[in-house]
Amino acid sequence: MRSSPLVGGEVARTTMGLGAEASDATVHDALMRAHFSPSEQQMRELDMNMRNQTNEIQNNITKYRPLVINLSDNHFQIELQ
């Protein structure tokens, strides 16, 4: 849980096809290109990869203290409930 705020850079580097040694500026440039690209493919991949990572973090948290209710896979639906 403590490392959860730090996963974004790793997920972005992996999704954008950058190595772990890529600078933050390089990652920023790649994210900007993906954001403004007419094709939304990389942004969709980034969203999916980040969602998978947050699901893994949530699963690790609830493994030790189960939730009373089951969470939906649709995070937007959770917000509306």
PDB file of all heavy atoms in Angstrom, residues 55 57-72 78:
ATOM      1  N   ASN A  55      -6.210  -2.421  -9.348  1.00  0.00           N
ATOM      2  CA  ASN A  55      -6.954  -3.607  -8.923  1.00  0.00           C
ATOM      3  C   ASN A  55      -6.059  -4.542  -8.117  1.00  0.00           C
ATOM      4  O   ASN A  55      -6.489  -5.112  -7.112  1.00  0.00           O
ATOM      5  CB  ASN A  55      -7.539  -4.352 -10.117  1.00  0.00           C
ATOM      6  CG  ASN A  55      -8.731  -3.658 -10.717  1.00  0.00           C
ATOM      7  OD1 ASN A  55      -9.313  -2.766 -10.109  1.00  0.00           O
ATOM      8  ND2 ASN A  55      -9.088  -4.048 -11.927  1.00  0.00           N
ATOM      9  N   ILE A  57      -3.451  -3.685  -6.347  1.00  0.00           N
ATOM     10  CA  ILE A  57      -3.225  -3.051  -5.044  1.00  0.00           C
ATOM     11  C   ILE A  57      -4.446  -3.247  -4.144  1.00  0.00           C
ATOM     12  O   ILE A  57      -4.316  -3.616  -2.972  1.00  0.00           O
ATOM     13  CB  ILE A  57      -2.892  -1.554  -5.212  1.00  0.00           C
ATOM     14  CG1 ILE A  57      -1.527  -1.402  -5.881  1.00  0.00           C
ATOM     15  CG2 ILE A  57      -2.923  -0.830  -3.869  1.00  0.00           C
ATOM     16  CD1 ILE A  57      -1.229  -0.004  -6.380  1.00  0.00           C
ATOM     17  N   GLN A  58      -5.632  -3.025  -4.696  1.00  0.00           N
ATOM     18  CA  GLN A  58      -6.858  -3.221  -3.911  1.00  0.00           C
ATOM     19  C   GLN A  58      -7.001  -4.663  -3.461  1.00  0.00           C
ATOM     20  O   GLN A  58      -7.399  -4.931  -2.322  1.00  0.00           O
ATOM     21  CB  GLN A  58      -8.084  -2.810  -4.726  1.00  0.00           C
ATOM     22  CG  GLN A  58      -8.202  -1.327  -4.932  1.00  0.00           C
ATOM     23  CD  GLN A  58      -9.333  -0.975  -5.879  1.00  0.00           C
ATOM     24  OE1 GLN A  58      -9.891  -1.823  -6.568  1.00  0.00           O
ATOM     25  NE2 GLN A  58      -9.673   0.302  -5.931  1.00  0.00           N
ATOM     26  N   ASN A  59      -6.690  -5.595  -4.337  1.00  0.00           N
ATOM     27  CA  ASN A  59      -6.786  -7.013  -3.978  1.00  0.00           C
ATOM     28  C   ASN A  59      -5.812  -7.360  -2.857  1.00  0.00           C
ATOM     29  O   ASN A  59      -6.140  -8.145  -1.963  1.00  0.00           O
ATOM     30  CB  ASN A  59      -6.538  -7.904  -5.188  1.00  0.00           C
ATOM     31  CG  ASN A  59      -7.669  -7.855  -6.185  1.00  0.00           C
ATOM     32  OD1 ASN A  59      -8.786  -7.474  -5.845  1.00  0.00           O
ATOM     33  ND2 ASN A  59      -7.381  -8.218  -7.420  1.00  0.00           N
ATOM     34  N   ASN A  60      -4.616  -6.781  -2.906  1.00  0.00           N
ATOM     35  CA  ASN A  60      -3.642  -7.029  -1.841  1.00  0.00           C
ATOM     36  C   ASN A  60      -4.110  -6.449  -0.515  1.00  0.00           C
ATOM     37  O   ASN A  60      -3.857  -7.033   0.536  1.00  0.00           O
ATOM     38  CB  ASN A  60      -2.275  -6.464  -2.218  1.00  0.00           C
ATOM     39  CG  ASN A  60      -1.602  -7.272  -3.303  1.00  0.00           C
ATOM     40  OD1 ASN A  60      -1.893  -8.457  -3.488  1.00  0.00           O
ATOM     41  ND2 ASN A  60      -0.710  -6.651  -4.038  1.00  0.00           N
ATOM     42  N   ILE A  61      -4.781  -5.316  -0.558  1.00  0.00           N
ATOM     43  CA  ILE A  61      -5.292  -4.701   0.668  1.00  0.00           C
ATOM     44  C   ILE A  61      -6.416  -5.560   1.245  1.00  0.00           C
ATOM     45  O   ILE A  61      -6.436  -5.862   2.439  1.00  0.00           O
ATOM     46  CB  ILE A  61      -5.787  -3.267   0.403  1.00  0.00           C
ATOM     47  CG1 ILE A  61      -4.603  -2.364   0.073  1.00  0.00           C
ATOM     48  CG2 ILE A  61      -6.570  -2.730   1.600  1.00  0.00           C
ATOM     49  CD1 ILE A  61      -5.002  -1.000  -0.447  1.00  0.00           C
ATOM     50  N   THR A  62      -7.348  -5.951   0.409  1.00  0.00           N
ATOM     51  CA  THR A  62      -8.511  -6.695   0.901  1.00  0.00           C
ATOM     52  C   THR A  62      -8.193  -8.152   1.213  1.00  0.00           C
ATOM     53  O   THR A  62      -8.995  -8.824   1.855  1.00  0.00           O
ATOM     54  CB  THR A  62      -9.677  -6.627  -0.104  1.00  0.00           C
ATOM     55  OG1 THR A  62      -9.259  -7.177  -1.345  1.00  0.00           O
ATOM     56  CG2 THR A  62     -10.154  -5.208  -0.273  1.00  0.00           C
ATOM     57  N   LYS A  63      -7.030  -8.623   0.778  1.00  0.00           N
ATOM     58  CA  LYS A  63      -6.634  -9.997   1.086  1.00  0.00           C
ATOM     59  C   LYS A  63      -6.490 -10.172   2.604  1.00  0.00           C
ATOM     60  O   LYS A  63      -6.820 -11.214   3.155  1.00  0.00           O
ATOM     61  CB  LYS A  63      -5.306 -10.314   0.397  1.00  0.00           C
ATOM     62  CG  LYS A  63      -4.819 -11.707   0.650  1.00  0.00           C
ATOM     63  CD  LYS A  63      -3.518 -12.090  -0.044  1.00  0.00           C
ATOM     64  CE  LYS A  63      -2.804 -11.043  -0.798  1.00  0.00           C
ATOM     65  NZ  LYS A  63      -1.544 -11.491  -1.374  1.00  0.00           N
ATOM     66  N   TYR A  64      -6.030  -9.138   3.271  1.00  0.00           N
ATOM     67  CA  TYR A  64      -5.791  -9.220   4.707  1.00  0.00           C
ATOM     68  C   TYR A  64      -6.986  -8.770   5.536  1.00  0.00           C
ATOM     69  O   TYR A  64      -7.115  -9.101   6.689  1.00  0.00           O
ATOM     70  CB  TYR A  64      -4.557  -8.398   5.079  1.00  0.00           C
ATOM     71  CG  TYR A  64      -3.336  -8.914   4.373  1.00  0.00           C
ATOM     72  CD1 TYR A  64      -2.788  -8.225   3.298  1.00  0.00           C
ATOM     73  CD2 TYR A  64      -2.765 -10.122   4.748  1.00  0.00           C
ATOM     74  CE1 TYR A  64      -1.674  -8.726   2.634  1.00  0.00           C
ATOM     75  CE2 TYR A  64      -1.659 -10.629   4.081  1.00  0.00           C
ATOM     76  CZ  TYR A  64      -1.121  -9.913   3.026  1.00  0.00           C
ATOM     77  OH  TYR A  64      -0.036 -10.404   2.360  1.00  0.00           O
ATOM     78  N   ARG A  65      -7.846  -7.964   4.946  1.00  0.00           N
ATOM     79  CA  ARG A  65      -9.053  -7.511   5.629  1.00  0.00           C
ATOM     80  C   ARG A  65     -10.177  -7.479   4.602  1.00  0.00           C
ATOM     81  O   ARG A  65     -10.372  -6.477   3.905  1.00  0.00           O
ATOM     82  CB  ARG A  65      -8.845  -6.132   6.222  1.00  0.00           C
ATOM     83  CG  ARG A  65     -10.033  -5.686   7.033  1.00  0.00           C
ATOM     84  CD  ARG A  65      -9.794  -4.374   7.699  1.00  0.00           C
ATOM     85  NE  ARG A  65     -11.028  -3.973   8.325  1.00  0.00           N
ATOM     86  CZ  ARG A  65     -11.088  -3.392   9.470  1.00  0.00           C
ATOM     87  NH1 ARG A  65      -9.991  -3.114  10.118  1.00  0.00           N
ATOM     88  NH2 ARG A  65     -12.245  -3.058   9.980  1.00  0.00           N
ATOM     89  N   PRO A  66     -10.904  -8.567   4.482  1.00  0.00           N
ATOM     90  CA  PRO A  66     -11.941  -8.663   3.448  1.00  0.00           C
ATOM     91  C   PRO A  66     -12.992  -7.561   3.575  1.00  0.00           C
ATOM     92  O   PRO A  66     -13.333  -7.134   4.674  1.00  0.00           O
ATOM     93  CB  PRO A  66     -12.564 -10.036   3.699  1.00  0.00           C
ATOM     94  CG  PRO A  66     -11.565 -10.792   4.503  1.00  0.00           C
ATOM     95  CD  PRO A  66     -10.808  -9.780   5.288  1.00  0.00           C
ATOM     96  N   LEU A  67     -13.502  -7.142   2.441  1.00  0.00           N
ATOM     97  CA  LEU A  67     -14.553  -6.140   2.417  1.00  0.00           C
ATOM     98  C   LEU A  67     -15.896  -6.798   2.701  1.00  0.00           C
ATOM     99  O   LEU A  67     -16.110  -7.970   2.410  1.00  0.00           O
ATOM    100  CB  LEU A  67     -14.606  -5.468   1.040  1.00  0.00           C
ATOM    101  CG  LEU A  67     -13.398  -4.634   0.649  1.00  0.00           C
ATOM    102  CD1 LEU A  67     -13.569  -4.125  -0.767  1.00  0.00           C
ATOM    103  CD2 LEU A  67     -13.210  -3.480   1.599  1.00  0.00           C
ATOM    104  N   VAL A  68     -16.793  -6.016   3.223  1.00  0.00           N
ATOM    105  CA  VAL A  68     -18.131  -6.519   3.504  1.00  0.00           C
ATOM    106  C   VAL A  68     -18.911  -6.692   2.206  1.00  0.00           C
ATOM    107  O   VAL A  68     -19.702  -7.603   2.057  1.00  0.00           O
ATOM    108  CB  VAL A  68     -18.873  -5.552   4.458  1.00  0.00           C
ATOM    109  CG1 VAL A  68     -20.300  -6.009   4.688  1.00  0.00           C
ATOM    110  CG2 VAL A  68     -18.123  -5.445   5.767  1.00  0.00           C
ATOM    111  N   ILE A  69     -18.651  -5.814   1.219  1.00  0.00           N
ATOM    112  CA  ILE A  69     -19.329  -5.889  -0.070  1.00  0.00           C
ATOM    113  C   ILE A  69     -18.312  -6.189  -1.160  1.00  0.00           C
ATOM    114  O   ILE A  69     -17.132  -5.877  -1.014  1.00  0.00           O
ATOM    115  CB  ILE A  69     -20.067  -4.573  -0.401  1.00  0.00           C
ATOM    116  CG1 ILE A  69     -19.077  -3.405  -0.464  1.00  0.00           C
ATOM    117  CG2 ILE A  69     -21.171  -4.297   0.575  1.00  0.00           C
ATOM    118  CD1 ILE A  69     -19.654  -2.129  -1.021  1.00  0.00           C
ATOM    119  N   ASN A  70     -18.765  -6.773  -2.223  1.00  0.00           N
ATOM    120  CA  ASN A  70     -17.896  -7.001  -3.379  1.00  0.00           C
ATOM    121  C   ASN A  70     -17.871  -5.750  -4.238  1.00  0.00           C
ATOM    122  O   ASN A  70     -18.913  -5.150  -4.494  1.00  0.00           O
ATOM    123  CB  ASN A  70     -18.406  -8.177  -4.208  1.00  0.00           C
ATOM    124  CG  ASN A  70     -18.213  -9.485  -3.497  1.00  0.00           C
ATOM    125  OD1 ASN A  70     -17.283  -9.641  -2.721  1.00  0.00           O
ATOM    126  ND2 ASN A  70     -19.099 -10.427  -3.750  1.00  0.00           N
ATOM    127  N   LEU A  71     -16.689  -5.371  -4.693  1.00  0.00           N
ATOM    128  CA  LEU A  71     -16.555  -4.212  -5.560  1.00  0.00           C
ATOM    129  C   LEU A  71     -16.748  -4.623  -7.006  1.00  0.00           C
ATOM    130  O   LEU A  71     -16.270  -5.664  -7.434  1.00  0.00           O
ATOM    131  CB  LEU A  71     -15.182  -3.560  -5.379  1.00  0.00           C
ATOM    132  CG  LEU A  71     -14.907  -2.971  -3.998  1.00  0.00           C
ATOM    133  CD1 LEU A  71     -13.500  -2.406  -3.960  1.00  0.00           C
ATOM    134  CD2 LEU A  71     -15.914  -1.905  -3.647  1.00  0.00           C
ATOM    135  N   SER A  72     -17.407  -3.786  -7.759  1.00  0.00           N
ATOM    136  CA  SER A  72     -17.633  -4.025  -9.173  1.00  0.00           C
ATOM    137  C   SER A  72     -16.338  -3.804  -9.949  1.00  0.00           C
ATOM    138  O   SER A  72     -15.485  -3.026  -9.534  1.00  0.00           O
ATOM    139  CB  SER A  72     -18.706  -3.058  -9.665  1.00  0.00           C
ATOM    140  OG  SER A  72     -18.770  -3.074 -11.055  1.00  0.00           O
ATOM    141  N   ILE A  78     -19.136   2.061  -9.362  1.00  0.00           N
ATOM    142  CA  ILE A  78     -18.938   2.195  -7.914  1.00  0.00           C
ATOM    143  C   ILE A  78     -19.163   3.633  -7.497  1.00  0.00           C
ATOM    144  O   ILE A  78     -19.801   3.906  -6.481  1.00  0.00           O
ATOM    145  CB  ILE A  78     -17.524   1.726  -7.508  1.00  0.00           C
ATOM    146  CG1 ILE A  78     -17.393   0.216  -7.704  1.00  0.00           C
ATOM    147  CG2 ILE A  78     -17.228   2.092  -6.057  1.00  0.00           C
ATOM    148  CD1 ILE A  78     -15.990  -0.277  -7.537  1.00  0.00           C
TER     149      ILE A  78
END
